[in-house]
Amino acid sequence: MTTVDSSTSGIGLLRHLPTDSWMSQLPEALWDVPLYNLAIPGTHNSITYCLDKNNRSPVDHTQPDMLKKLDKIMKPLIRPFVYKWAITQESSVKEQLDGGVRYCDLRIAHRPNDSSLDLYFYHGVYTTVTVEAVLKEIREWLDSHPREVIILSFSHFLGLTQELHAHLVNTIQSIFVAKLCPKTENVTLRNLWHLGYQVIVSYDHHIMNTTDELWPHITYWWANKCKAETLIEEFERKKQHGRPGGFFVAGINLTEDLKYICSHPTESLKDMVMSTYPVLLQWVESQAPGPQGNCINIIAGDFATEGQLVPAVIALNESLLSGAS
């Protein structure tokens, strides 16, 4: 296990930090840098490793009407395609955190015709695992990693009433309790460690105004492209206008369209993503964190723990060490 001392000797070594505890291993020169000026690895659509493959599960309501109709009459043919293009992460949330991920993109749904308060994640279809179960798993991981900080972004709510939003907020508060960082707090590692805060919750709904424990929506750059080169061109255009203030995400997740799926009938989203990662990683490695207009913060991707994305993002913080030396 690589350990970095508290000076600037981390230059050249950050890529090799133990991924399950990389924040706690950062050199002291980075402890007073706000988290929104650090490079942080994340996952897009983080909880899709447990999508419900039971054919009785409906496709989610955001899917095109044609797909929903075809799913009803040709389910054995349609469902394999849905799964192939809906799964964005094969690693569990614990495996993602162990792998260095510190930002999770959580998309929340209430299943139709469900009289309970149970909430699930969704992408194409719903998950088998509830939101509460995943949050408890995250809490257990945090208890064993007391100097790691994670950012949970709740968004894309589907089928949630005001009552269900209130229930979800109560669940978040009851699970994380004193680990929740208020949006008024100074989010440097040194300060968060001192106060015992480990969770920053972004909540993309007006209910977040009712408590200091919920942060506002985090800007997510999404290019809506199926080619790495065009995604990079879009992000470079965005960078010319300056980075958003506070936390923001550059989502290097590609988006397949019907034309791409039809022309690649034997492939899956994973095939598409992994084939383009060399180009995307080259772009990632050329980035730098910090407050300047052309800097990045969180970089999120699909199948993020299965390649070199996480260590590449962590290593970007070496540029901040250079400036501190």
Side-chain angles (χ1 to χ4, degrees), residues 49-89:
Y49 53 86
C50 51
L51 292 179
D52 191 348
K53 294 186 178 181
N54 185 326
N55 285 343
R56 289 173 298 178
S57 172
V59 295
D60 74 60
H61 287 176
T62 67
Q63 299 306 308
D65 289 340
M66 180 59 71
L67 177 62
K68 288 185 281 190
K69 290 178 181 178
L70 289 174
D71 182 67
K72 288 181 179 180
I73 62 177
M74 302 172 61
K75 197 180 297 289
L77 292 176
I78 296 300
R79 279 303 171 95
F81 281 93
V82 173
Y83 300 136
K84 285 200 308 180
W85 296 97
I87 295 173
T88 59
Q89 313 293 335

Side-chain angles (χ1 to χ4, degrees), residues 104 106 135 138 150-154 176 199-203:
C104 292
L106 307 178
L135 297 186
I138 293 172
I150 63 173
I151 302 164
L152 303 179
S153 177
F154 291 78
F176 295 118
V199 186
I200 293 169
V201 171
S202 164
Y203 202 95

Side-chain angles (χ1 to χ4, degrees), residues 10 58 82 95-96 101 142 145 151 172 202 215 224 235 257 283 291 307:
V82 173
E95 291 168 337
Q96 291 177 41
V101 168
L142 289 169
H145 298 80
I151 302 164
I172 293 168
S202 164
W215 291 60
N224 195 22
F235 281 5
D257 54 23
W283 179 82

